[in-house]
Amino acid sequence: MTAAVISTMLFAGPAHADPPVSGTGEDGAWSIETVEGGYKITLQLTEPLPVRDAIPELAVDGTSLGPAVESPDGTTLTITTSDPKASAAASVNVAWNGEVPSEAAPTARTAPEPVPPQQKKPGNPPPIDPAAPGRYTVVHDEYNLGDTAITLAGLGGRQAEIRAKVYLPKEATGRLPLVVFQHGRHSACYNPVTRQTSNSTWPCPAEQQPILSFTGYDGPADVLASHGYAVVSVSANGVNAADNPFSEDRGALARGEVVMRHLDLLADATKGTGDGKLVELFKKRLDMDDIGLMGHSRGGEGVVKAALLNAGRPKPYGIKAVLPLAPTDFARATLPNIPMSVFLPYCDGDVSNQQGQHFYDDSLYAFEKDKAFRSSLMIMGTNHNFFNTEWTPGVAIAPASDDWGNRNDPVCGSTAAPGRLTPAEQYAVGTAYIAGFFRLVQGEEHKLLPLFDGSGAIPASAGRAVVHTVAQAEADKRLDVAPFTSPSSSFTVSGAATGVICAGMMDRSPQSGLPTCATRLTTSQAPSWTPATYAGNVTATPVLRFAWTDTTGEVSVPLPTRSRNVNGYDALTFRAALDENATGNVDLAVTVVDGRGTIDTVLVSSVSDALTPFPGTASPLPKTWLRTVRVPMSSIDKVNLRDVREVRITGASPTGGVYLGDLAFSDVRVGKAELDKLPQVSLQGLTVPEGDGPGVATMTLTLSERSKKPVTVNVQSIVSGTVPVITALAQQVVIPVGAKSATFQVPIVGNTTPATAAQSYQVVASVPTNATIGGGFTRLIVTDDDAL
């Protein structure tokens, strides 16, 4: 195996066609038939697949074999595989995020003993409450241009609705800042008499009507409107009904297109042109240079795509803030140079691997001159659905449910569990933090920054909610001491300790040369390292895995001469999480040394709860999620902050193991949005003949404009079928300074066997640096050149 290419092991399959294997399980009747090179597995479900934001998978004997193809009516799942497990299957089940829900067993992890109550308490509430109503009366309205008002390239030309709920401040004058909400994947239609839902046809079939998911965010929308914002919450039912079977990316591009079409209509309306209803609502009322986007679940990935689509326009709108709420991130796009906050619900039973954490992690060092801050919040006791009242039983008009499936789980099992918030409590914390983010960024209400900068403030309106926050300051407001993203001479590990840079999990990215992190965790327990659907072999979140057997174990980081004056920063910060192999109470000491040899030491347990275990005993809990350690400069005032020579992180407990990342001196400020200043990188499709033996397909990456910095892009070719004619590829490609393109090669197997059709494979670009994703999906089509 080369450093740049990951090859799939091809299973030759049986020499003859074995009779089909079949059975019936709790999910329905299944069959496995022999096909050329492997097996085709089919599961006929006893009832339509629940409409979730996660991608359905098929598992054989409890082991997921990967994403499945869902029939348009949601009643059948199929997968073709060369995995020999299929030859002797005893069971076939639906899996989500790598796990069969009914078979999720307690992890082998030994949970650390509870840490005594010396850990950091939540910071003081901010001086203003983000959920407090403002001075304006809020007016609700709606516009509806029809169920087929937009044709979407992201759905192969299928149509969807243009419909939205509007929230306006009645007495406000002048141009208003605009916030656009987009809901995620939920059933599109229902019958109000039978209470049956559907998600396979749009517009809704006879006797059914649309589920009004876009009306479920009244809480944060009303708060924002009362403070002088125009809020538009858009419907995406047409996308939901078609995204799984008819899109390359599970609907991200289509959702981005919907948002951008609404922005175009709103821009026309504020100029006094276009649809009469929109002109009536918005003429001379909107500031299209002051826009915020919030997307829930697949809508979270949708608003990220909208921000990227906007940045690629010759005359982009002024999108200033992006908030992905419980988002999917199937393709790992980055979003640098714009304020962003990712919200992760701890009890998410839908996107249970919290894959949206990749938006934060992948953007950390994506642009070395980043002008904006970013944050990520782990909101304890909250599930996926209850941020939207139309997805909440008891208050929704249409059928709704609690997405957390295991009712026996002691942490998240029901809203009566001690670790769960009630639906009303969850909605309140969502209202506070959603409104707070846009008021902070667009409204420049800097007193709300402690909710997002890692200092741990929680507003009174969030009630008993516990919210953990990590944040990164813009580039000019931080000094990166040791990012711990690659093996480096910039730090040393000494004493009775080991330290190694690791990345990802399950040995999915050997091309990186880094060992795997999370060696005893499931993919649902490790948000930073969970493999992405379309970038499963791309390196994920490198960190330092540090373990010690006595208190001599130490990580030391010297500061270069030019970086020794840290007097202008607010805090020394890094992220930390318990190693899943650690037992007992674990603590670290952080020591700062100045030029005179004076030292000042702070215990991590005195300033942070990062080394306390998250609750849970059975996957997808507990989570291993890197939390903030924030050492205020006032805590290390014994040293000369104008001449700091070294930072040391030492084991303070007799033994222990942790993951460490992002050591920096920082002064978090909001910064500004300049996403459109970066070039965009796109993949170019290709059609090639198969050939008779090993060969390559040379594909091209292009930039929208030349870059003054080298642009790196990760590319992944996705092998499908049982006898593929290409080999899987996971490679980092560099576009040199001043160049507008670069090429890479996908290995082609080739053969002399005639075939009746060309084979088509997805190729995906992800996690770029010094650029953002433009066209991240394309196709490599391999035509057969052997005579029948």
Side-chain angles (χ1 to χ4, degrees):
M1 184 177 296
T2 69
V5 178
I6 301 174
S7 298
T8 54
M9 300 299 293
L10 297 181
F11 174 58
H16 60 280
D18 293 330
V21 178
S22 62
T24 301
E26 62 182 41
D27 292 331
W30 54 270
S31 63
I32 301 176
E33 59 180 305
T34 303
V35 295
E36 184 184 4
Y39 305 94
K40 179 180 179 180
I41 306 173
T42 302
L43 176 61
Q44 187 69 43
L45 299 164
T46 54
E47 56 185 36
L49 195 71
V51 179
R52 293 180 54 167
D53 294 88
I55 294 175
E57 305 163 10
L58 279 181
V60 167
D61 298 335
T63 300
S64 174
L65 300 186
V69 177
E70 178 183 352
S71 64
D73 63 1
T75 61
T76 306
L77 295 176
T78 57
I79 189 172
T80 54
T81 179
S82 57
D83 194 316
K85 293 186 185 71
S87 64
S91 67
V92 174
N93 294 94
V94 180
W96 302 95
N97 301 312
E99 295 186 327
V100 178
S102 61
E103 297 184 13
T107 64
R109 172 178 178 177
T110 302
E113 298 172 7
V115 175
Q118 59 185 3
Q119 63 205 47
K120 176 191 170 189
K121 296 179 181 179
N124 293 326
I128 56 176
D129 195 297
R135 60 193 179 98
Y136 296 113
T137 305
V138 178
V139 177
H140 292 181
D141 212 318
E142 184 177 317
Y143 60 87
N144 185 352
L145 276 62
D147 288 342
T148 58
I150 182 172
T151 300
L152 297 169
L155 293 182
R158 286 165 178 81
Q159 294 178 315
E161 77 275 25
I162 291 293
R163 186 178 183 182
K165 186 170 182 178
V166 177
Y167 308 77
L168 292 170
K170 183 177 180 180
E171 301 87 359
T173 59
R175 303 287 177 130
L176 307 175
L178 171 66
V179 180
V180 176
F181 292 170
Q182 185 181 57
H183 65 85
R185 194 168 193 265
H186 192 73
S187 292
C189 309
Y190 82 110
N191 185 311
V193 177
T194 65
R195 309 296 289 172
Q196 292 296 309
T197 62
S198 69
N199 198 51
S200 58
T201 303
W202 184 261
C204 291
E207 300 182 353
Q208 292 199 1
Q209 61 190 46
I211 293 177
L212 305 182
S213 295
F214 67 100
T215 66
Y217 305 105
D218 283 0
D222 281 343
V223 170
L224 286 167
S226 74
H227 284 273
Y229 296 77
V231 181
V232 175
S233 184
V234 307
S235 181
N237 282 332
V239 179
N240 286 344
D243 55 358
N244 270 6
F246 300 119
S247 70
E248 287 278 330
D249 57 4
R250 307 287 170 159
L253 173 58
R255 289 180 173 86
E257 291 179 276
V258 168
V259 171
M260 293 307 299
R261 181 58 179 150
H262 279 272
L263 291 182
D264 289 341
L265 291 167
L266 294 170
D268 288 343
T270 203
K271 295 174 186 175
T273 63
D275 179 79
K277 176 66 174 181
L278 276 84
V279 171
E280 175 189 334
L281 288 169
F282 299 114
K283 185 177 180 180
K284 296 182 180 180
R285 296 211 71 186
L286 300 179
D287 184 352
M288 300 304 292
D289 288 321
D290 191 358
I291 300 170
L293 304 179
M294 186 282 286
H296 187 179
S297 201
R298 288 199 191 181
E301 194 165 11
V303 297
V304 169
K305 187 62 181 176
L308 294 171
L309 289 171
N310 180 69
R313 287 187 170 189
K315 294 182 179 180
Y317 299 116
I319 296 176
K320 291 186 174 181
V322 179
L323 194 166
L325 168 62
T328 58
D329 184 5
F330 296 136
R332 291 182 59 190
T334 56
L335 202 65
N337 234 28
I338 186 170
M340 174 180 68
S341 189
V342 181
F343 290 10
L344 305 174
Y346 190 76
C347 297
D348 195 324
D350 186 344
V351 189
S352 57
N353 56 8
Q354 280 92 359
Q355 60 188 262
Q357 178 63 27
H358 287 309
F359 284 130
Y360 178 88
D361 290 349
D362 291 341
S363 300
L364 286 172
Y365 305 105
F367 180 47
E368 64 182 45
K369 294 185 179 180
D370 204 319
K371 300 294 186 183
F373 101 116
R374 62 189 50 83
S375 67
S376 182
L377 281 59
M378 182 67 78
I379 307 175
M380 306 302 292
T382 59
N383 73 354
H384 188 85
N385 285 351
F386 292 176
F387 295 104
N388 184 318
T389 52
E390 282 305 307
W391 297 0
T392 305
V395 291
I397 296 172
S401 64
D402 183 352
D403 52 275
W404 187 269
N406 183 358
R407 294 292 176 258
N408 296 318
D409 185 87
V411 177
C412 299
S414 74
T415 55
R420 278 290 296 271
L421 300 181
T422 67
E425 288 175 322
Q426 176 168 335
Y427 199 70
V429 71
T431 294
Y433 278 86
I434 293 169
F437 177 69
F438 294 111
R439 290 178 61 186
L440 166 66
V441 179
Q442 292 177 263
E444 300 181 356
E445 295 186 62
H446 300 302
K447 291 179 180 179
L448 294 170
L449 184 60
L451 299 179
F452 301 96
D453 67 1
S455 56
I458 297 179
S461 58
R464 64 186 179 100
V466 175
V467 181
H468 302 283
T469 307
V470 297
Q472 184 192 46
E474 60 179 293
D476 288 344
K477 297 295 183 180
R478 72 175 196 270
L479 170 65
D480 292 323
V481 179
F484 298 127
T485 55
S486 61
S488 172
S489 59
S490 65
F491 66 90
T492 58
V493 178
S494 60
T498 59
V500 62
I501 301 295
C502 65
M505 63 191 309
M506 301 167 59
D507 297 316
R508 295 291 289 268
S509 52
Q511 77 281 4
S512 71
L514 300 176
T516 277
C517 304
T519 45
R520 295 176 63 189
L521 300 178
T522 69
T523 57
S524 289
Q525 292 176 301
S528 287
W529 303 307
T530 190
T533 300
Y534 297 112
N537 299 111
V538 175
T539 306
T541 316
V543 293
L544 176 64
R545 193 172 196 172
F546 174 56
W548 63 97
T549 54
D550 67 38
T551 54
T552 64
E554 180 178 272
V555 180
S556 57
V557 187
L559 271 68
T561 302
R562 66 182 183 279
S563 302
R564 292 174 179 172
N565 184 354
V566 299
N567 191 53
Y569 298 102
D570 280 351
L572 173 64
T573 62
F574 57 94
R575 288 195 294 164
L578 282 174
D579 190 304
E580 66 271 18
N581 297 307
T583 59
N585 293 336
V586 175
D587 206 354
L588 291 168
V590 181
T591 299
V592 178
V593 185
D594 68 14
R596 298 170 299 182
T598 304
I599 66 172
D600 213 343
T601 300
V602 175
L603 288 176
V604 165
S605 60
S606 69
V607 294
S608 172
D609 54 9
L611 301 182
T612 59
F614 278 117
T617 58
S619 184
L621 305 178
K623 306 292 182 182
T624 293
W625 187 71
L626 292 115
R627 282 178 267 178
T628 293
V629 177
R630 186 176 187 275
V631 181
M633 302 304 273
S634 58
S635 299
I636 49 175
D637 56 3
K638 293 179 183 178
V639 299
N640 179 4
L641 296 177
R642 290 182 170 82
D643 186 26
V644 170
R645 301 298 180 93
E646 188 178 33
V647 177
R648 302 169 185 163
I649 300 175
T650 309
S653 53
T655 62
V658 297
Y659 296 104
L660 300 173
D662 311 317
L663 180 64
F665 289 96
S666 65
D667 180 14
V668 178
R669 296 291 183 268
V670 170
K672 59 184 178 180
E674 292 187 350
L675 184 64
D676 59 308
K677 303 296 184 184
L678 291 170
Q680 293 202 323
V681 61
S682 297
L683 281 162
Q684 304 305 309
L686 182 67
T687 300
V688 296
E690 168 194 45
D692 294 338
V696 296
T698 300
M699 302 191 71
T700 303
L701 284 162
T702 59
L703 281 179
S704 59
E705 59 185 82
R706 290 178 172 83
S707 173
K708 297 178 181 179
K709 299 287 183 181
V711 171
T712 64
V713 191
N714 290 274
V715 293
Q716 172 111 48
S717 61
I718 300 175
V719 170
S720 57
T722 55
V723 188
V725 296
I726 72 165
T727 300
L729 173 87
Q731 179 181 338
Q732 190 174 86
V733 180
V734 178
I735 303 176
V737 172
K740 286 197 70 175
S741 65
T743 61
F744 61 96
Q745 295 181 329
V746 179
I748 297 180
V749 178
N751 58 46
T752 57
T753 304
T756 57
Q759 297 196 43
S760 179
Y761 301 95
Q762 280 188 310
V763 183
V764 182
S766 63
V767 198
T769 61
N770 297 319
T772 59
I773 294 294
F777 284 74
T778 195
R779 287 276 169 172
L780 170 59
I781 299 173
V782 183
T783 59
D784 189 79
D785 55 3
D786 301 303
L788 285 171

